[in-house]
Amino acid sequence: MTTLLRSARFARCFTSAVRGLPLKHVRKDGTQSSSTVNYYINSQFARGLATQVGQTRENQEVNLDRSLRRLDQDVRRTGRITRKELEDVLGDLRHARCATSTQSLLIIRCCGNLVPEESPEVRTKIVNEVWKTLENLGVPLDISHYNALLRVYLENEHEFSPTEFLADLEQKGVEPNRVTYQRLIARYCQRGDIEGATRILEFMREKQLPVNENVFNALIMGHSRADDMESAVAILGVMRQAGLEPSSDTYTTLLCGYAKRGDIDSIRKVFAESQEKNVFLLDKDFMEIIYELAVNGHDKFIDEIIDKMQQLAGYNQDAINLILRLVNHGKEEIAMKILKTMPPPVVPEGHSFSAGNFFIKQLIHVNRPVEKIVSICREMEESGLNSKALVLAAEMSIQSSNVEQACCLLSLLRQDGFPIRPHYFWPLLTSCGRKGDTEGIQDILRRMNVQFGLTIGGETLRDYVIPYLKDQKPEQIVSQLSAAGVTAAAAACSVVCSLLQANKLSDAADLASKYRAYYIPSLLRRPLVQALHTTNDLDSYIRVVRFIHDGMDRAVDARPTLDEDNISTSGVDKAEILGQMVLDIVMVYRTNRSAIIRDVLQGLVDQGLSISNSAAERLQEKLSGEELTNDISTLLSKLTTGELTPAPVQRQTGRAAVIQDEQQLKEQIKTLEAKEQSSNGVKRQLLSLYCRNKELDKAEQLKQELEAQGFVLTAGVQSQLIDMYCHHDKLDEALECLKRLQEKEPDFAIGDLRILKLAGLLIKNNRLQDALRYLKELPRESKAPEKTFVYNATAWRMLNTLAEEGRTDDVKLLLETLAENKFIELNNIMLGPLVKSCIVREDVPQAMQAFEWCVEHHSCTPWKNELARRLIQSENPDMLQHLTDLSTKVHGEINSLYDLVFAFVECGRVRAARKILETPGLRYRTERLSNACERYRQDGQVSTLEGLIEATRDLSYIDRSAIFYQLLLSYCNNEDVDKALGLWTRMQEEDVQPTDKFLFTLGTFLEQKGRTAPFVIPQISQETKTKTREVQYVDKVPATEQILLKEFRKALNNDDLDKALEIKRRAENEAGPKITTMNISKLIEKLVKAGRQSEASKMVFDLLEAGTHPVPHIFRFFLNKLAEAGDTETISRIGSFLTPELKRIVSFDNKLCTAYSTAGKAKEYLENLEKEINSAKVDDVSRLSVSFPRGGAFAILEKEPEILPLYERVAQKYAKHGILSPVNVLWVHLLLKNEDEAARKLWDDFLSKHPQIMYQKVIEVARKEDNLSIVQKLLDYLKTAPVTEQSLGVVYSCILDIHAKHGEIEEALNVLNTAVKDICLENFNRTSLLRLKDQVESQGKVFPHKIPEKRSKSSSSSSSSSDDEKQEPAQR
């Protein structure tokens, strides 16, 4: 083997192959520190274990994705998962019956060392089961899946044949890659088979595959397991000959070889050598050595290794994983030593912390002897590590359903004075019940009664015993329970309750007749009335009611069995309880209640039972109108006399201002001049329009015309002229206008933004003092201006003009003037030019002084990153440390350290960045890392992204998928196919899970370049595809070619559309970079706004014919303009290019309908719809339902009422296919036109039983016209439909708002008081309630209702709607 590796030919081969690669060591998964979780025995825990939640089939795919995300989060947080979590995911997979490539890869990866609580054999069995399931489900498996399986096999040291594995790959047509061969070498080396590893190495040499550190580490392990430590050590020399320096992983592998033999002298020697080479081992490396020493019986050397651990970041989680592995091998004493080295977390004062919960749980899990468990628990309690160790052990034992073990531990707890509760035994009962072990259930009940002296209550019986005895007759169940120590009365009551829940009313009555017991009314009321409603067995109902009545006399005697149910037995009022039971019937029976109420009341009279007066009064209130008959009234009178003796054993809109365009104003001028009327007022409006649009030539021409006519420009117009002249850098003209304005109105305020623009123009012309004077002296508006982006950008440009000239003092003077006069608020953006002015002069110390002044006086850190890069490049660590300290004062330590990491990476100092990321306690900031990666990609900083990949390598607490994805996009933008594909292989080597988005992007890119993807390209949603494409549109040119794109963007920003079009044509005719779709989309938007629709349309069709489209929001804007112009031909042609999904995204059908309506061709459009519905097949119904233009249909009926008969015919044809939205639109139209008869017929024929009604148009009209009549009609309709309370709440809220608007407070309150009888306050518009409440309280009255808390938006649902019409809450 050594000879092979030393051969010059082979060494040259792999050295040249890997020379350009950043060869670093590949580490095992690390973890992040977190506190362990306290466990206590409580009823909530027991209920959670014993109860299962049913899941419907349609939720399974969502459940699988959610479960996998949870697994991924657990791995990143703690470095481990549990077997139960893994089995739950496997169950979700089987129910979903499908999985993506990414999901299946993650499931496989989770079956190795990430489950330290299980033995390798169990983990291997699970991964084989997962693999078999994936194959059976037909999930596509590529080489990355096989490599993941190999890694799990290696971690579990599973016995398998590498040659058979390769043969299996060949048979299935899967091509191995370098990762595959690396792991097969590792398998041979695990067995100490150097010869087998050599064969794979020779094969890699033939294929010219590079050899990295992983292979050398495997060879060291192989030689050590072959008892050839001399050859193992020799591998270090071979690595150096190949240009690779041994890493900490290499030394750890060698140390583990010595540890297996207990060679402590050699271990010490290797420690010394690694320190000399500046290779430092991490805590988890030392833990691997400890593990090898422990499992090989060399415990006496472990203390020496423990002393070397530094307890850095992630120590506790690594220690937990080690302890779990040690317990699996019966090394509890060593595990206890490791536990005592774990630093306790910081807890608030007064709070206790219990260590080692996981330790105890693992002892139970592997079923260690009770004596050993008790010994460890006692040691923890005595040392103060965990005061509840034995309690936790008992809880874990109960959870594992080990009856004997649990009872032993509970007995010890009882001896210690710990109270034992019945619910501790619920999980044990549930476990036996699920197995069908009725004898086990009886045994546990007897133990509860005899061994622990517990009274077995109703909750235990009803929820955890009787459900598992349901196959037996009721009398047999009572008998068995009695034999297990349960009183016959408690058993009978519980069985009766279970029978009622199963709607077995007759059986319940029969059983209750045989046992005298306290049949608890509060438990039986609900199931009793539900059973009556289901069976209509009135006789049995009355019998049960009689037994409940008679049993109330035994309430006090039954108290011991009721404590568990928290049921009070004091103050039992029989008449009140029976009255409440009658009221239950009223609540359950919603229709035809009179007959059943009469029969029940008669039954109570026959039994000689009474009800309370208050119950009778409430019953009368509930029975409205004809429901309250004379018979019922008579019976109520009898039941309340008290003379009956029991028989012998039974929710304003303002119109937007109309802004006229140039053409409209010119037409008005012509009209006025034709009538020989003055048009100066309209000309002034036109001049204002030219000023707003910065049309200099037109404005000056019109201004001269007005002045020639003797028209005196107002101060407002002069102010607008100043703004326009500043925009065109016309300083003299702007100052002339200002002079005229001040002569006429010296106190007129031109506005802060215009003052800033004027001052900026003065500074640009080297007149700083004049600018300062104007800033101080010009009149200001009393109201502070809104600090918009344009406002702030104008102020910043003034400062930046001075900063770029290095005028630090002038920048500071201008800043002070702006701040003192309250033009700006000092922040990072405004203070940035101060530091920049020093950097421009290369005066870093002065820049640091300015930076420190910003921090101390304004808590801002302007230009921090640029300063950091300058200090790193100049190698000034002291000043860099000072910079970080200043930043920490403002942003905190974590954020400041991340900024420093990014600065080091940007400067190419990867090792320094990595050292910061290894800082103990450094928390992961997902958003910071993601934003930085996206910025680097957009700026074309590929090398920086590559450096960040290196800096974060092996740091398991960091989700590196975002870095890999942004680097992939960069490679795709640079069209570097090999690097893009190599990224996927590298992720396998470094055990990074590729996302579906990553695989889709890479796979699509490979296909575009004529390469075959070595994996199955996952299917992702249209929305994700669109977002992915939009990301790829941005900056999709190499950094060296971005000049053209910058010119294009500059032209767009300056609204120079002709130049932008010229640059686009130049780019298309040259072989260089092309303008991205995102930028073409922006050009389309600018062209449409400039009225150049034909040019915009041509560009849209160019995109569509090329297989892409404008970005969605611009596409929608473009289609809107076509629709407003009535251009049906163009929109229809565009539709032929669009997929159904894209049509939905851009609301295509509504745009097309609007276009036909605008063009006066609504009839033609409806006839087209009619043709479609006439020829529709079953498969077309869903498409036609989605594509019907609800918003457009409203507009057609409003504008062209003569088309109503045609529309009605089309709507009814749609309705025959179950599509009711056209009918719904027609019904709303008729309702608004007060055509009540036609609306009622349409409602009765089609909508009265439909659960989803569109009515927002009615609400809008009612609010606009304050029309109570129309909204009341709507309410009457909706009350007869199966709509939700939320829908009724919308209508009631509208009524309240109309009353409140007119000050009709009493009327509004009456409406509200009536409404709350039908719906909950939560379903009202909260703003409407608050508005009414304010008006009520303003009159000195008390608002009679409590307004619910504000709900999150996600809590409300909405019906299906188009972009053109918002609709009401969905009625599902």
Side-chain angles (χ1 to χ4, degrees):
M1 168 55 64
T2 304
T3 303
L4 173 64
L5 288 173
R6 286 173 177 160
S7 81
R9 192 155 57 90
F10 182 70
R12 281 197 303 271
C13 172
F14 73 73
T15 302
S16 62
V18 302
R19 185 174 293 139
L21 296 178
L23 288 166
K24 295 286 182 181
H25 56 281
V26 178
R27 307 194 52 78
K28 302 182 181 74
D29 292 335
T31 55
Q32 184 182 17
S33 176
S34 81
S35 60
T36 51
V37 182
N38 292 320
Y39 294 96
Y40 298 96
I41 295 180
N42 53 64
S43 60
Q44 184 177 6
F45 152 76
R47 294 172 195 259
L49 179 72
T51 307
Q52 290 184 321
V53 179
Q55 297 178 328
T56 57
R57 172 65 189 270
E58 57 267 23
N59 292 328
Q60 295 305 320
E61 291 185 21
V62 177
N63 291 341
L64 176 61
D65 192 51
R66 185 187 299 116
S67 298
L68 287 172
R69 285 201 303 270
R70 186 173 61 249
L71 280 188
D72 188 51
Q73 291 166 358
D74 287 346
V75 170
R76 297 185 190 284
R77 183 172 57 86
T78 67
R80 64 182 174 275
I81 58 175
T82 66
R83 177 180 179 178
K84 183 181 183 302
E85 290 174 321
L86 190 54
E87 289 176 339
D88 287 346
V89 169
L90 184 56
D92 290 339
L93 171 64
R94 286 169 173 159
H95 281 90
R97 302 197 61 78
C98 64
T100 66
S101 175
T102 305
Q103 290 173 334
S104 55
L105 197 58
L106 179 58
I107 298 173
I108 296 168
R109 182 62 195 92
C110 287
C111 300
N113 285 343
L114 296 178
V115 196
E117 67 177 28
E118 296 297 339
S119 66
E121 294 78 14
V122 171
R123 302 197 304 247
T124 301
K125 181 179 179 182
I126 294 174
V127 76
N128 287 334
E129 191 176 351
V130 168
W131 190 268
K132 182 179 179 181
T133 301
L134 293 174
E135 288 185 325
N136 291 338
L137 295 178
V139 177
L141 302 172
D142 56 53
I143 190 58
S144 63
H145 296 86
Y146 285 91
N147 288 340
L149 180 63
L150 278 175
R151 181 181 179 114
V152 171
Y153 281 170
L154 290 172
E155 291 177 350
N156 297 340
E157 299 198 17
H158 173 58
E159 290 288 342
F160 71 96
S161 169
T163 55
E164 292 180 3
F165 194 90
L166 284 173
D168 186 39
L169 288 177
E170 183 178 1
Q171 180 183 353
K172 294 178 179 178
V174 181
E175 183 68 25
N177 59 15
R178 69 170 186 265
V179 179
T180 312
Y181 295 118
Q182 290 169 8
R183 291 178 181 172
L184 292 177
I185 289 173
R187 175 59 200 146
Y188 277 120
C189 291
Q190 273 187 342
R191 302 191 319 207
D193 186 353
I194 302 301
E195 183 179 349
T198 304
R199 290 197 299 270
I200 302 294
L201 274 171
E202 289 175 340
F203 189 76
M204 292 182 70
R205 179 183 64 179
E206 293 172 4
K207 287 202 153 195
Q208 296 186 344
L209 295 174
V211 175
N212 65 1
E213 181 193 344
N214 293 339
V215 173
F216 289 107
N217 292 345
L219 292 174
I220 293 173
M221 174 182 64
H223 283 297
S224 65
R225 294 199 175 187
D227 291 326
D228 187 358
M229 293 305 299
E230 182 178 351
S231 296
V233 174
I235 296 296
L236 300 180
V238 180
M239 289 183 68
R240 295 187 178 102
Q241 290 175 13
L244 292 171
E245 282 297 323
S247 68
S248 58
D249 275 353
T250 308
Y251 283 110
T252 301
T253 305
L254 183 59
L255 285 163
C256 286
Y258 284 125
K260 188 174 181 179
R261 290 155 185 76
D263 189 347
I264 192 64
D265 292 331
S266 296
I267 291 175
R268 294 166 183 160
K269 182 179 178 181
V270 176
F271 279 151
E273 180 183 341
S274 67
Q275 290 178 343
E276 290 175 3
K277 299 291 184 180
N278 286 324
V279 177
F280 301 100
L281 303 186
L282 300 178
D283 289 332
K284 59 182 179 180
D285 299 326
F286 290 115
M287 290 179 186
E288 288 299 320
I289 301 168
I290 292 172
Y291 179 76
E292 288 295 335
L293 288 170
V295 299
N296 289 284
H298 307 298
D299 298 2
K300 59 184 178 180
F301 303 129
I302 289 177
D303 289 342
E304 183 177 343
I305 310 300
I306 290 177
D307 293 339
K308 293 182 178 292
M309 293 195 290
Q310 302 174 354
Q311 300 183 0
L312 299 177
Y315 176 81
N316 278 5
Q317 298 303 332
D318 289 335
I320 291 172
N321 293 338
L322 174 61
I323 291 171
L324 295 176
R325 295 166 64 194
L326 289 171
V327 172
N328 285 345
H329 280 80
K331 295 293 180 178
E332 292 86 4
E333 293 79 7
I334 308 301
M336 194 67 186
K337 286 185 178 181
I338 303 299
L339 177 66
K340 292 179 178 179
T341 67
M342 293 172 60
V346 177
V347 296
E349 186 176 353
H351 291 70
S352 61
F353 169 72
S354 298
N357 291 348
F358 66 93
F359 189 0
I360 300 168
K361 181 178 179 180
Q362 189 66 6
L363 290 170
I364 300 297
H365 178 67
V366 299
N367 200 22
R368 300 294 292 156
V370 174
E371 296 78 9
K372 176 64 68 176
I373 296 171
V374 174
S375 174
I376 295 293
C377 291
R378 295 301 189 195
E379 184 177 353
M380 286 185 178
E381 292 174 344
E382 292 168 2
S383 62
L385 284 174
N386 194 325
S387 61
K388 297 182 180 295
L390 194 58
V391 174
L392 178 63
E395 178 185 350
M396 292 301 106
S397 183
I398 292 169
Q399 184 178 354
S400 66
S401 302
N402 191 326
V403 177
E404 289 295 335
Q405 187 183 70
C407 289
C408 288
L409 294 173
L410 287 173
S411 294
L412 289 172
L413 283 175
R414 189 181 183 207
Q415 293 174 15
D416 291 347
F418 189 91
I420 307 301
R421 310 292 186 196
H423 63 260
Y424 296 173
F425 296 87
W426 292 353
L428 299 175
L429 290 166
T430 301
S431 177
C432 290
R434 288 175 178 169
K435 298 174 185 176
D437 185 4
T438 56
E439 293 184 1
I441 292 176
Q442 289 183 290
D443 177 56
I444 295 171
L445 293 175
R446 277 191 287 267
R447 288 174 182 264
M448 292 172 66
N449 188 17
V450 178
Q451 185 175 354
F452 296 97
L454 297 173
T455 298
I456 302 169
E459 190 171 6
T460 299
L461 297 175
R462 292 191 307 275
D463 296 341
Y464 305 103
V465 176
I466 295 174
Y468 302 111
L469 305 176
K470 57 187 178 184
D471 293 336
Q472 303 180 32
K473 294 181 179 180
E475 293 84 355
Q476 292 177 328
I477 297 176
V478 174
S479 178
Q480 287 187 12
L481 294 177
S482 299
V486 181
T487 64
C493 180
S494 298
V495 175
V496 166
C497 183
S498 298
L499 291 169
L500 291 175
Q501 290 171 342
N503 295 320
K504 297 180 180 179
L505 185 50
S506 177
D507 291 345
D510 291 342
L511 185 65
S513 67
K514 299 177 182 178
Y515 296 93
R516 296 177 179 270
Y518 176 41
Y519 294 100
I520 309 167
S522 58
L523 292 176
L524 301 185
R525 279 173 53 188
R526 183 171 180 175
L528 177 58
V529 70
Q530 291 292 351
L532 172 62
H533 187 262
T534 302
T535 64
N536 289 320
D537 186 352
L538 184 62
D539 291 339
S540 296
Y541 171 83
I542 296 297
R543 291 173 62 201
V544 174
V545 171
R546 177 60 190 269
F547 296 136
I548 291 174
H549 173 273
D550 293 350
M552 293 183 202
D553 295 331
R554 301 178 180 83
V556 176
D557 297 334
R559 187 176 297 165
T561 64
L562 302 180
D563 291 342
E564 184 182 294
D565 294 295
N566 295 317
I567 295 171
S568 173
T569 58
S570 60
V572 176
D573 187 336
K574 295 182 180 182
E576 179 64 24
I577 291 174
L578 292 186
Q580 291 172 356
M581 295 175 73
V582 177
L583 285 169
D584 289 340
I585 297 175
V586 178
M587 300 304 294
V588 171
Y589 284 81
R590 308 299 293 182
T591 58
N592 301 322
R593 298 185 291 191
S594 297
I596 187 67
I597 293 296
R598 184 193 65 245
D599 293 343
V600 169
L601 295 178
Q602 185 62 57
L604 294 178
V605 170
D606 293 343
Q607 289 290 328
L609 307 180
S610 300
I611 65 173
S612 65
N613 289 318
S614 60
E617 291 170 358
R618 292 199 300 274
L619 182 59
Q620 286 181 317
E621 293 173 1
K622 294 291 183 181
L623 296 175
S624 59
E626 296 179 354
E627 289 182 327
L628 184 58
T629 65
N630 289 329
D631 289 345
I632 292 177
S633 179
T634 302
L635 290 169
L636 287 175
S637 299
K638 292 181 180 179
L639 290 166
T640 55
T641 60
E643 299 176 357
L644 294 176
T645 302
V649 178
Q650 345 163 11
R651 207 224 282 228
Q652 239 149 42
T653 59
R655 292 184 177 179
V658 177
I659 300 176
Q660 294 179 307
D661 59 21
E662 180 182 0
Q663 188 62 36
Q664 291 173 320
L665 291 172
K666 284 184 175 181
E667 289 177 358
Q668 287 188 33
I669 292 171
K670 289 181 181 179
T671 302
L672 291 171
E673 289 178 346
K675 295 179 180 180
E676 296 182 355
Q677 296 178 3
S678 174
S679 60
N680 287 342
V682 181
K683 287 181 179 179
R684 182 189 61 77
Q685 294 182 42
L686 184 58
L687 179 58
S688 296
L689 178 65
Y690 288 151
C691 290
R692 286 197 301 270
N693 296 339
K694 307 301 185 289
E695 297 181 77
L696 180 62
D697 295 336
K698 292 181 179 180
E700 288 189 328
Q701 181 181 350
L702 183 57
K703 171 175 170 287
Q704 292 170 5
E705 181 182 336
L706 287 169
E707 289 176 340
Q709 295 174 1
F711 183 81
V712 178
L713 299 178
T714 64
V717 175
Q718 294 284 9
S719 176
Q720 288 181 314
L721 286 167
I722 292 171
D723 185 50
M724 180 186 68
Y725 285 131
C726 288
H727 177 80
H728 290 283
D729 293 343
K730 301 286 185 178
L731 179 60
D732 294 337
E733 290 83 349
L735 292 176
E736 178 63 27
C737 287
L738 179 63
K739 179 181 177 182
R740 292 182 181 180
L741 187 150
Q742 290 180 321
E743 288 174 351
K744 185 176 181 180
E745 294 188 38
D747 296 328
F748 184 83
I750 66 172
D752 286 10
L753 177 57
R754 290 170 181 165
I755 295 175
L756 289 177
K757 289 180 178 180
L758 182 59
L761 186 56
L762 286 165
I763 291 172
K764 189 184 292 187
N765 286 271
N766 294 317
R767 295 174 61 174
L768 176 62
Q769 294 305 319
D770 288 337
L772 297 175
R773 178 167 57 84
Y774 281 134
L775 289 171
K776 296 175 182 176
E777 298 177 0
L778 284 179
R780 305 273 298 281
E781 295 174 340
S782 57
K783 183 180 179 181
E786 182 183 358
K787 302 297 192 296
T788 63
F789 173 81
V790 173
Y791 181 96
N792 290 325
T794 303
W796 176 84
R797 280 195 293 267
M798 296 167 55
L799 295 162
N800 191 58
T801 300
L802 298 173
E804 289 182 342
E805 298 174 5
R807 297 162 61 179
T808 304
D809 294 337
D810 288 345
V811 172
K812 195 165 187 177
L813 181 60
L814 180 56
L815 271 172
E816 292 173 352
T817 302
L818 290 170
E820 289 174 0
N821 290 277
K822 298 182 179 179
F823 278 97
I824 62 171
E825 296 176 0
L826 295 181
N827 51 35
N828 277 335
I829 295 174
M830 297 302 173
L831 291 170
L834 180 61
V835 180
K836 179 180 179 179
S837 63
C838 302
I839 297 292
V840 167
R841 294 184 285 105
E842 299 294 336
D843 190 347
V844 176
Q846 181 70 28
M848 277 297 297
Q849 291 180 15
F851 181 83
E852 186 171 359
W853 178 84
C854 293
V855 171
E856 299 295 343
H857 292 83
H858 302 289
S859 296
C860 295
T861 56
W863 273 55
K864 183 184 70 174
N865 294 337
E866 179 62 28
L867 265 176
R869 288 193 294 269
R870 294 291 182 113
L871 295 173
I872 291 170
Q873 291 165 352
S874 63
E875 298 185 354
N876 191 333
D878 295 334
M879 200 170 285
L880 182 62
Q881 181 63 55
H882 184 47
L883 178 74
T884 304
D885 292 341
L886 290 171
S887 173
T888 301
K889 292 181 179 180
V890 179
H891 304 295
E893 185 178 17
I894 303 297
N895 287 323
S896 299
L897 288 177
Y898 268 99
D899 289 334
L900 197 54
V901 166
F902 298 142
F904 274 122
V905 172
E906 291 164 18
C907 294
R909 310 293 178 88
V910 175
R911 294 186 64 183
R914 181 177 178 81
K915 291 191 71 173
I916 297 173
L917 290 171
E918 292 174 344
T919 302
L922 182 63
R923 297 177 181 175
Y924 176 46
R925 291 285 189 264
T926 306
E927 190 174 352
R928 293 297 313 277
L929 196 61
S930 298
N931 291 341
C933 292
E934 187 171 357
R935 187 179 74 250
Y936 294 149
R937 191 260 307 163
Q938 291 175 347
D939 294 343
Q941 298 184 40
V942 179
S943 60
T944 303
L945 281 169
E946 292 172 339
L948 198 54
I949 289 283
E950 283 299 317
T952 56
R953 189 172 183 173
D954 307 323
L955 300 177
S956 61
Y957 71 93
I958 293 179
D959 182 359
R960 303 170 72 211
S961 59
I963 316 176
F964 277 100
Y965 179 64
Q966 296 297 335
L967 184 54
L968 172 66
L969 291 178
S970 298
Y971 287 155
C972 293
N973 292 340
N974 294 342
E975 299 189 352
D976 196 329
V977 181
D978 293 332
K979 282 190 175 181
L981 184 55
L983 208 55
W984 177 67
T985 306
R986 179 173 182 175
M987 292 175 78
Q988 295 175 52
E989 286 183 323
E990 300 182 8
D991 197 29
V992 178
Q993 179 81 16
T995 62
D996 282 349
K997 187 165 63 172
F998 180 98
L999 294 175
F1000 173 80
T1001 304
L1002 176 58
T1004 305
F1005 175 65
L1006 292 173
E1007 288 182 344
Q1008 291 172 352
K1009 298 303 175 182
R1011 299 276 287 268
T1012 302
F1015 50 82
V1016 176
I1017 302 177
Q1019 296 296 318
I1020 61 178
S1021 66
Q1022 179 69 30
E1023 183 179 0
T1024 305
K1025 288 181 183 179
T1026 301
K1027 289 181 180 179
T1028 303
R1029 289 180 184 135
E1030 288 189 19
V1031 169
Q1032 291 175 314
Y1033 294 156
V1034 182
D1035 303 317
K1036 196 175 179 181
V1037 292
T1040 57
E1041 298 178 344
Q1042 289 197 1
I1043 295 175
L1044 190 65
L1045 183 54
K1046 289 180 179 178
E1047 289 180 3
F1048 182 85
R1049 288 175 175 166
K1050 185 177 180 181
L1052 277 182
N1053 292 335
N1054 294 334
D1055 292 331
D1056 192 344
L1057 303 184
D1058 293 328
K1059 185 175 181 180
L1061 287 169
E1062 178 189 351
I1063 296 172
K1064 177 180 175 293
R1065 284 192 291 269
R1066 198 169 73 211
E1068 291 171 346
N1069 295 329
E1070 296 177 1
K1074 307 301 180 186
I1075 305 300
T1076 64
T1077 307
M1078 173 63 81
N1079 286 294
I1080 292 176
S1081 300
K1082 292 179 179 178
L1083 178 55
I1084 292 171
E1085 182 180 25
K1086 295 273 188 179
L1087 288 168
V1088 172
K1089 289 180 178 179
R1092 300 165 67 168
Q1093 190 77 37
S1094 60
E1095 293 170 285
S1097 297
K1098 182 181 180 302
M1099 295 177 65
V1100 169
F1101 281 112
D1102 288 342
L1103 288 176
L1104 293 172
E1105 289 169 357
T1108 183
H1109 55 81
V1111 294
H1113 71 280
I1114 295 177
F1115 203 0
R1116 284 192 291 267
F1117 170 74
F1118 171 77
L1119 290 171
N1120 270 331
K1121 291 300 181 181
L1122 290 178
E1124 291 171 3
D1127 192 347
T1128 60
E1129 183 180 350
T1130 303
I1131 296 182
S1132 298
R1133 184 182 167 199
I1134 289 173
S1136 64
F1137 290 93
L1138 308 185
T1139 64
E1141 178 67 11
L1142 187 54
K1143 283 185 177 182
R1144 183 192 64 79
I1145 291 173
V1146 300
S1147 191
F1148 175 82
D1149 295 292
N1150 271 294
K1151 306 296 189 295
L1152 181 60
C1153 180
T1154 302
Y1156 270 97
S1157 178
T1158 304
K1161 299 191 291 186
K1163 181 178 179 182
E1164 179 183 341
Y1165 181 76
L1166 289 177
E1167 289 173 346
N1168 291 337
L1169 291 181
E1170 187 173 22
K1171 291 177 183 177
E1172 276 196 297
I1173 198 65
N1174 285 339
S1175 60
K1177 299 179 181 178
V1178 176
D1179 295 340
D1180 298 326
V1181 172
S1182 177
R1183 174 182 60 82
L1184 292 175
S1185 176
V1186 172
S1187 65
F1188 183 80
R1190 294 178 285 270
F1194 277 120
I1196 287 178
L1197 291 173
E1198 186 69 27
K1199 294 179 181 178
E1200 304 183 41
E1202 70 278 359
I1203 212 167
L1204 182 61
L1206 173 58
Y1207 182 90
E1208 184 173 0
R1209 186 174 74 234
V1210 173
Q1212 291 184 0
K1213 290 183 178 181
Y1214 268 83
K1216 290 179 180 178
H1217 288 80
I1219 305 173
L1220 297 181
S1221 49
V1223 171
N1224 199 148
V1225 171
L1226 178 58
W1227 172 74
V1228 169
H1229 174 76
L1230 294 172
L1231 190 62
L1232 292 174
K1233 296 301 179 181
N1234 292 316
E1235 297 185 23
D1236 297 338
E1237 184 177 347
R1240 170 58 66 182
K1241 185 177 187 306
L1242 211 59
W1243 174 269
D1244 293 339
D1245 291 346
F1246 299 103
L1247 300 176
S1248 60
K1249 297 182 180 180
H1250 191 52
Q1252 190 170 351
I1253 307 296
M1254 296 182 299
Y1255 56 80
Q1256 187 62 28
K1257 191 75 174 176
V1258 182
I1259 298 296
E1260 291 174 0
V1261 171
R1263 289 182 181 277
K1264 182 179 179 180
E1265 301 176 356
D1266 296 338
N1267 192 331
L1268 276 173
S1269 174
I1270 194 70
V1271 73
Q1272 186 62 51
K1273 288 180 184 178
L1274 174 63
L1275 180 61
D1276 294 340
Y1277 275 111
L1278 294 183
K1279 281 185 175 181
T1280 64
V1283 298
T1284 63
E1285 290 188 6
Q1286 192 176 359
S1287 292
L1288 295 175
V1290 172
V1291 183
Y1292 274 121
S1293 299
C1294 177
I1295 297 175
L1296 293 181
D1297 285 340
I1298 295 174
H1299 279 306
K1301 180 180 178 181
H1302 294 281
E1304 299 169 351
I1305 307 305
E1306 292 300 326
E1307 290 84 349
L1309 284 175
N1310 289 335
V1311 171
L1312 180 58
N1313 292 331
T1314 301
V1316 294
K1317 295 179 181 179
D1318 298 322
I1319 65 174
C1320 301
L1321 279 176
E1322 287 80 359
N1323 295 304
F1324 281 80
N1325 184 313
R1326 190 168 181 271
T1327 304
S1328 300
L1329 295 176
L1330 289 172
R1331 189 182 294 116
L1332 178 59
K1333 179 175 182 289
D1334 291 342
Q1335 292 193 7
V1336 171
E1337 293 177 347
S1338 68
Q1339 295 183 0
K1341 300 178 182 179
V1342 178
F1343 189 66
H1345 302 282
K1346 181 180 179 182
I1347 299 178
E1349 294 295 325
K1350 187 175 182 180
R1351 294 179 293 180
S1352 63
K1353 292 182 179 179
S1354 59
S1355 65
S1356 63
S1357 62
S1358 61
S1359 68
S1360 59
S1361 62
S1362 71
D1363 293 337
D1364 298 65
E1365 182 205 6
K1366 294 182 180 178
Q1367 297 180 21
E1368 304 70 33
Q1371 325 312 324
R1372 304 288 183 194

